[in-house]
Amino acid sequence: TLLEERDEIPRDLQVKLVEGIHSDADWLLNMIESILSITKVQQNNMMIEKTEEIVEEIVEGAVLTFHKRFPEANITVDQPQNTVLVPIDMMLISQVMNNLLENTQRHAKGYKADVNIRIEEYNDSVRFIISDTGPGIDSKIYPKLFDFMVTSNNLYEDSTRNLGIGLSICKTIIEAHGGEISAQNRPEGGADRRAGYRG
């Protein structure tokens, strides 16, 4: 429409059309990234090719992506002063971080959901905790939160086109790394999402 009739379209409508294109392209990009991630894990029969990566760089990349998609959201990071190395598949763990961070905003239901990323070391393990100040996890979907196709609107469908595969992918990737992932509501409001694995 823009290519063929842009001279006839009012400026405000052009902006609206471009915003729609951007939104659709962003949704498609996220979906492709998710499908590629889960396909890679499945085709490798759950075997992950790990390399030593710096936790700080993982978090910086995730925060940068988050800010691009949600520029108005506030995000803080708490991490150890020392350099922490973890053996991971960088692309897959980045996808987990991106999905968990996006989850804090996609299901905020109009709340202003501030986000905090906290990195904890314990023994020979590393744990990523992503917290938000949103409405928390709906009790109806909590038992199936990491199942395929679970969304806040419907256990198996989502009329907004967000297919709900993000958390399922996160679980698959973390377990393929030999780790665990969980989520829980916070007493003060909002939710924690925890992903941890041994080095």
Side-chain angles (χ1 to χ4, degrees):
T1 300
L2 286 171
L3 288 173
E4 295 177 0
E5 303 178 26
R6 64 179 178 275
D7 293 337
E8 307 297 326
I9 301 173
R11 172 72 176 175
D12 58 341
L13 182 54
Q14 288 189 33
V15 172
K16 186 174 181 180
L17 288 171
V18 171
E19 288 175 345
I21 293 169
H22 181 272
S23 176
D24 286 351
D26 191 45
W27 173 81
L28 182 60
L29 176 61
N30 291 340
M31 185 57 57
I32 291 171
E33 288 176 348
S34 297
I35 292 171
L36 288 175
S37 295
I38 199 69
T39 301
K40 179 178 180 180
V41 172
Q42 291 174 336
Q43 287 181 344
N44 288 342
N45 195 27
M46 309 304 283
M47 297 298 293
I48 300 296
E49 295 182 10
K50 303 177 183 178
T51 57
E52 293 282 342
E53 303 289 350
I54 300 174
V55 166
E56 182 179 0
E57 294 180 355
I58 300 169
V59 174
E60 284 181 356
V63 170
L64 181 62
T65 300
F66 179 76
H67 273 151
K68 287 180 179 178
R69 294 176 179 171
F70 304 97
E72 303 301 320
N74 294 325
I75 183 168
T76 57
V77 179
D78 299 317
Q79 58 188 354
Q81 294 296 321
N82 58 301
T83 300
V84 180
L85 294 172
V86 287
I88 59 169
D89 181 307
M90 184 67 161
M91 188 194 81
L92 293 178
I93 293 301
S94 293
Q95 184 66 35
V96 170
M97 293 289 291
N98 292 338
N99 281 349
L100 293 180
L101 287 171
E102 183 172 316
N103 185 260
T104 67
Q105 306 300 306
R106 294 293 187 197
H107 303 287
K109 299 179 181 178
Y111 283 73
K112 185 179 185 299
D114 295 334
V115 181
N116 174 260
I117 303 175
R118 188 166 77 253
I119 310 301
E120 296 181 351
E121 290 183 277
Y122 57 105
N123 298 327
D124 58 346
S125 301
V126 177
R127 179 163 53 194
F128 294 80
I129 304 172
I130 297 176
S131 304
D132 69 65
T133 59
I137 302 166
D138 190 327
S139 60
K140 292 184 294 185
I141 69 171
Y142 190 85
K144 296 179 176 291
L145 189 62
F146 292 97
D147 289 354
F148 186 70
M149 296 297 280
V150 169
T151 72
S152 59
N153 295 327
N154 187 302
L155 289 181
Y156 302 102
E157 297 177 359
D158 187 344
S159 60
T160 64
R161 297 182 313 163
N162 183 356
L163 297 184
I165 64 174
L167 292 181
S168 172
I169 288 175
C170 291
K171 179 180 178 182
T172 300
I173 291 172
I174 293 298
E175 289 183 348
H177 278 78
E180 297 179 348
I181 188 169
S182 64
Q184 62 187 32
N185 285 326
R186 306 164 66 209
E188 64 271 35
D192 285 338
R193 300 152 188 83
R194 300 168 181 260
Y197 42 86
R198 295 187 179 279

